[in-house]
Amino acid sequence: MTYILLYFGFGLVVCISQVLIKKTLGNFLLFVPFLLMQIVFTYFCYSQLDVFQDIYFRIDRIGVIFLAVLAIIAIPSVSHSAIYSVERKDSDSQMAYHNASITFFIMCMTGAMISNHLGMMWAFIEGTTLVSAVMIYHDRDKSSLEAAWKYFFVCSIGLALAYIGILFLGIAVQETKHLDLSVTALVAKAPFMNPLWLKVGFLFAVVGFSVKMGVAPLFSVDIDAKDKAPSPVGALFSGGLMNVGFIAIFRFYEILSVTSTRIWTDKILIIIGTVSIFFAAVYLIKVRNIKRILAYSSVEHAGLALIALGAGSMGHFASIFHLVFHSFAKSSLFLQVGQVFRIYLNKNIDNIGGYFKINPAGGTVMFLGFLCIIAIPPSGMFLTELYTFMALFGMYHWLVGGFLLICLTFIFASFINAMLRLLFAPFPGKLATYDVIHPWESISQFIMIGFVLWMGIFPNEGLVQFVRDAVKHLPK
Amino acid sequence: MTLIYLLAAGRLRTYAQALALQGVLLFAIAFKELHGLREENYLNLVFILIETIIFKGIVVPVYINYLIKKNNLTYEREPNETNFYALFKIGLIFILSLYLGYALHNGNFQIGNAYRLSENTLKITYFTASISAVFTGILMLTRRRKIITLIVGYLVLENGLFLLSLAMGNEMPIVVNLGILFDIFTTTFLLGIFLTRVQNIFHDLEIKSLTELKD
């Protein structure tokens, strides 16, 4: 407990000093101790695995997995955001608020991942909403204002709905003469609870947290946010916040999976996932903005993760791995798109092209990243999608499976189209001057995509076993 | 008593064209909740008392008023909505939540087994009131066009939630309460800032001016 408080205390100190110290260098140097602490804290959580637990916090495997992902993604995101700020010559105060927001954002996500108490988790997730408004509004123009307003507003409402869900669970647990709203206690008491309240609570919670995870029904603001926010923030949204939304839904699923409502819960997850993928497929055909393409692909993968969770057996395991791979691949793509924008000053794929010639290193990242994200075999995501479909067909969801395959084919086609245009199509018009981007700026992306590919070719036994253990308490 | 109050409040919410009244209304809600709390006897009673009276009762309404004055908002009239229709809707919401509350209470819910909730599990009046407040909030959020009304709708929704947590009598730890307080405060504050920005940039506070982002 002391260590957790120490972490938050130190994080807050960094956050406040980032608001106060407005000099560029000092402000970014403050990230160094914070990120170091993030890594140390992740390691600490790993060492305290299954040992530490009280009513507010609990460290379990799924939390540690996503903490590690967050700690890894935070480093390139922060360094790219430094490049972004310097390139665009942001004013000091603008940058100070932005950086303080990033610190607070990472802190809140960490808190949500290790929360045991549902109310606590809710408060942390709401915390991410508050600062994300500042992050999205970074560019201070009309459209980013609109995106920030919409995101902030819909998130607040979505989380209010999620809070209703938590309250309904509270009513349910009260009938068993208990007042404890921690996940562990709820899991223990769930079989004795009134299924009606559980179901209603679950529905509210899933709808509410869908805004954070970026799945149907409230995914649209998430798209706007990822489009209008600076690319490094988009990377954090895809690589961190989505996992937080998943964890929130996962906690509810943990509670409901031990009750008689489990089959119903699975169905709900599969329906939500299928609807998300359908929307993603339809929109992807039409969308020309490269950042929005990436954002819709996040909707698709979040939907797949929920379907995998709902499909059960191998699916539980696949859903977590899928999100881990997705986090790495999508963050690196978002970071790379930031560089694409710096060259072309345009996000519409009809107005850009020939990226491979202009920036070979970045082009390679884009190429490999696209391969990963559409799950072409060397990518680890191919394996997880394979497992998902095996689980789905294993449960005799033939219709859903078939429909998903059709949707995925459309997504595949749209993605290939976008990728070929961006990388190899001749550039329409003439590019007068552009920033020369040094290959070392792509190193972090290479490492992250390399991990996904490496896990696809030689899955690491230890990691696989760790993830298997993380979901082994869920009923098959 | 809560029910009568809520009928009046609900009517006001849709009726009131002058938005300043909303501030008074929020104060009334806070005051009402205050009374409810005294009957309850909570552990963190003091905290909630302070929260409702100072924060929900004074700070937020004053701030909303300030926003209205600053942005020269005088009235809101929905061109496509008559007063009778609004009244009808709030009546419908009210009856629905009453039915829901009593159905749950008397256990004649026809889903699966009949589940009967005991009186001390759920304060039925509060439950009804809070459900109607939540519905009203959602209605305001979906039907209204002005940004300021959306904020007020959000606050109504939050008040409904507050009442709901009173209804279930399950107490959140003080940390969570603090978090929620902080959250509502910053949300209102930030929304206000955004509102001013939107006013400055778009010169209009209709939600239809925010439709640039789409596919």
Side-chain angles (χ1 to χ4, degrees):
Chain A
M1 191 69 194
T2 341
Y3 287 101
I4 293 176
L5 285 181
L6 208 66
Y7 167 78
F8 286 116
F10 185 73
L12 275 181
V13 169
V14 170
C15 188
I16 292 168
S17 20
Q18 277 179 329
V19 176
L20 296 178
I21 301 173
K22 302 230 192 268
K23 286 272 173 293
T24 314
L25 186 66
N27 203 315
F28 276 106
L29 275 183
L30 277 172
F31 271 125
V32 176
F34 178 73
L35 290 176
L36 276 179
M37 185 185 63
Q38 186 74 29
I39 293 167
V40 171
F41 185 72
T42 308
Y43 184 74
F44 161 77
C45 286
Y46 177 68
S47 68
Q48 291 287 306
L49 195 64
D50 293 332
V51 178
F52 178 80
Q53 177 184 332
D54 68 4
I55 175 169
Y56 296 123
F57 293 107
R58 176 180 60 142
I59 295 166
D60 66 348
R61 283 192 160 72
I62 180 166
V64 169
I65 292 166
F66 288 125
L67 264 183
V69 173
L70 177 65
I72 294 170
I73 286 173
I75 299 167
S77 298
V78 165
S79 47
H80 280 265
S81 122
I83 298 171
Y84 183 91
S85 287
V86 173
E87 279 288 322
R88 298 186 51 124
K89 301 184 179 60
D90 290 339
S91 74
D92 280 353
S93 72
Q94 197 180 352
M95 199 193 56
Y97 283 120
H98 184 69
N99 289 350
S101 304
I102 289 185
T103 310
F104 195 79
F105 190 65
I106 294 174
M107 223 164 66
C108 280
M109 290 199 284
T110 309
M113 285 172 186
I114 59 171
S115 292
N116 190 16
H117 193 281
L118 285 179
M120 202 74 176
M121 185 179 74
W122 182 88
F124 277 120
I125 294 182
E126 181 67 40
T128 62
T129 309
L130 297 180
V131 287
S132 56
V134 183
M135 285 151 61
I136 299 166
Y137 190 46
H138 182 68
D139 286 354
R140 305 281 189 278
D141 58 7
K142 230 176 170 177
S143 50
S144 69
L145 173 67
E146 184 186 336
W149 157 265
K150 282 182 176 169
Y151 184 76
F152 189 50
F153 198 70
V154 176
C155 266
S156 302
I157 292 161
L159 286 176
L161 293 181
Y163 191 71
I164 298 181
I166 294 175
L167 285 183
F168 279 155
L169 275 197
I171 295 176
V173 77
Q174 230 185 7
E175 287 188 307
T176 61
K177 304 280 174 278
H178 271 266
L179 289 172
D180 194 353
L181 265 180
S182 61
V183 176
T184 33
L186 285 172
V187 169
K189 293 282 164 232
F192 312 108
M193 288 187 209
N194 183 336
L196 176 68
W197 288 118
L198 283 179
K199 283 181 182 176
V200 177
F202 182 74
L203 270 187
F204 271 108
V206 168
V207 169
F209 287 126
S210 75
V211 74
K212 284 292 169 192
M213 194 176 171
V215 285
L218 297 176
F219 62 88
S220 62
V221 284
D222 205 44
I223 309 273
D224 292 345
K226 281 175 189 156
D227 178 19
K228 288 302 162 196
S231 316
V233 174
L236 268 182
F237 268 50
S238 276
L241 195 59
M242 214 174 100
N243 300 341
V244 170
F246 177 77
I247 283 189
I249 294 175
F250 186 82
R251 298 282 183 230
F252 274 81
Y253 183 75
E254 267 181 315
I255 296 166
L256 266 79
S257 66
V258 294
T259 67
S260 56
T261 57
R262 195 183 133 239
I263 295 170
W264 177 87
T265 320
D266 287 348
K267 271 187 197 146
I268 292 291
L269 288 180
I270 291 180
I271 290 172
I272 288 183
T274 313
V275 172
S276 312
I277 293 178
F278 175 69
F279 272 113
V282 171
Y283 276 112
L284 272 174
I285 296 174
K286 203 176 98 181
V287 176
R288 311 309 287 170
N289 178 336
I290 182 105
K291 269 173 113 176
R292 290 180 90 87
I293 288 178
L294 293 183
Y296 276 113
S297 136
S298 288
V299 174
E300 174 220 337
H301 288 292
L304 268 177
L306 284 190
I307 288 174
L309 190 62
S313 61
M314 278 177 286
H316 295 318
F317 155 80
S319 71
I320 292 176
F321 253 127
H322 193 74
L323 280 178
V324 171
F325 291 152
H326 169 262
S327 299
F328 286 126
K330 192 53 70 63
S331 320
S332 45
L333 279 178
F334 262 113
L335 296 175
Q336 197 60 42
V337 161
Q339 301 181 8
V340 172
F341 185 73
R342 261 164 62 201
I343 291 179
Y344 298 106
L345 301 176
N346 204 318
K347 288 184 283 195
N348 190 324
I349 50 170
D350 292 332
N351 301 334
I352 54 185
Y355 187 59
F356 214 89
K357 240 179 235 163
I358 295 173
N359 182 359
T364 317
V365 169
M366 277 310 226
F367 183 70
L368 293 177
F370 271 124
L371 284 192
C372 282
I373 219 79
I374 51 180
I376 299 261
S379 143
M381 295 178 95
F382 172 73
L383 287 182
T384 55
E385 284 190 16
L386 190 68
Y387 277 128
T388 306
F389 278 101
M390 275 160 72
L392 209 57
F393 290 132
M395 297 292 287
Y396 306 107
H397 291 301
W398 297 107
L399 217 61
V400 177
F403 180 69
L404 285 181
L405 284 177
I406 295 173
C407 288
L408 287 186
T409 315
F410 275 104
I411 292 173
F412 187 87
S414 329
F415 249 85
I416 295 277
N417 180 15
M419 175 177 86
L420 293 181
R421 234 172 233 281
L422 169 69
L423 292 179
F424 303 114
F427 181 70
K430 203 165 151 49
L431 206 57
T433 52
Y434 56 87
D435 284 355
V436 179
I437 290 173
H438 205 274
W440 65 258
E441 286 183 27
S442 300
I443 279 185
S444 54
Q445 287 91 304
F446 273 119
I447 294 172
M448 291 197 287
I449 289 182
F451 173 78
V452 179
L453 293 175
W454 174 64
M455 282 300 284
I457 302 168
F458 310 106
N460 184 311
E461 258 321 302
L463 276 175
V464 172
Q465 195 51 44
F466 192 81
V467 176
R468 268 187 211 287
D469 288 344
V471 292
K472 72 166 181 244
H473 61 286
L474 295 174
K476 290 283 170 258
Chain B
M1 208 163 91
T2 322
L3 299 179
I4 297 166
Y5 135 76
L6 197 101
L7 187 63
R11 275 164 81 182
L12 271 177
R13 268 181 213 134
T14 358
Y15 237 146
Q17 310 297 333
L19 271 163
L21 266 177
Q22 290 285 359
V24 182
L25 186 71
L26 279 172
F27 180 76
I29 292 170
F31 201 69
K32 188 62 222 163
E33 281 163 6
L34 191 76
H35 274 286
L37 272 168
R38 285 221 178 93
E39 291 159 20
E40 293 295 297
N41 199 13
Y42 272 77
L43 276 178
N44 46 10
L45 178 75
V46 182
F47 174 75
I48 295 183
L49 279 184
I50 294 172
E51 178 192 340
T52 43
I53 192 69
I54 296 197
F55 175 69
K56 285 195 173 165
I58 298 170
V59 176
V60 167
V62 166
Y63 183 63
I64 295 273
N65 256 326
Y66 163 77
L67 280 181
I68 292 168
K69 283 215 183 84
K70 189 176 171 191
N71 294 296
N72 297 322
L73 305 171
T74 43
Y75 64 92
E76 151 157 300
R77 178 172 281 280
E78 296 290 313
N80 54 355
E81 195 169 281
T82 61
N83 287 340
F84 172 75
Y85 187 47
L87 200 63
F88 177 70
K89 274 199 287 198
I90 189 67
L92 208 65
I93 285 177
F94 190 60
I95 291 168
L96 191 74
S97 17
L98 252 184
Y99 169 72
L100 207 64
Y102 278 99
L104 282 172
H105 186 231
N106 298 329
N108 55 3
F109 227 87
Q110 293 304 316
I111 305 174
N113 299 324
Y115 299 115
R116 192 190 155 87
L117 293 168
S118 54
E119 175 61 36
N120 50 12
T121 307
L122 200 63
K123 302 276 175 303
I124 200 70
T125 38
Y126 284 157
F127 182 78
T128 313
S130 61
I131 290 291
S132 11
V134 168
F135 277 149
T136 317
I138 292 176
L139 187 75
M140 282 181 82
L141 290 173
T142 48
R143 295 292 304 158
R144 293 309 174 93
R145 297 282 179 284
K146 284 249 194 288
I147 287 178
I148 185 88
T149 342
L150 293 182
I151 299 177
V152 175
Y154 171 73
L155 287 172
V156 172
L157 184 64
E158 285 283 345
N159 281 328
L161 283 190
F162 187 83
L163 218 55
L164 189 63
S165 63
L166 285 189
M168 76 182 223
N170 190 346
E171 170 188 347
M172 286 282 175
I174 193 142
V175 193
V176 177
N177 270 332
L178 254 176
I180 292 168
L181 169 73
F182 178 72
D183 156 52
I184 299 177
F185 179 69
T186 4
T187 306
T188 322
F189 192 66
L190 275 179
L191 285 177
I193 293 175
F194 275 135
L195 181 107
T196 317
R197 289 272 162 92
V198 171
Q199 169 85 313
N200 291 342
I201 294 181
F202 291 97
H203 307 293
D204 191 9
L205 283 177
E206 296 281 322
I207 203 75
K208 65 172 181 278
S209 59
L210 295 177
T211 48
E212 195 185 304
L213 290 181
K214 57 185 173 208
D215 295 303

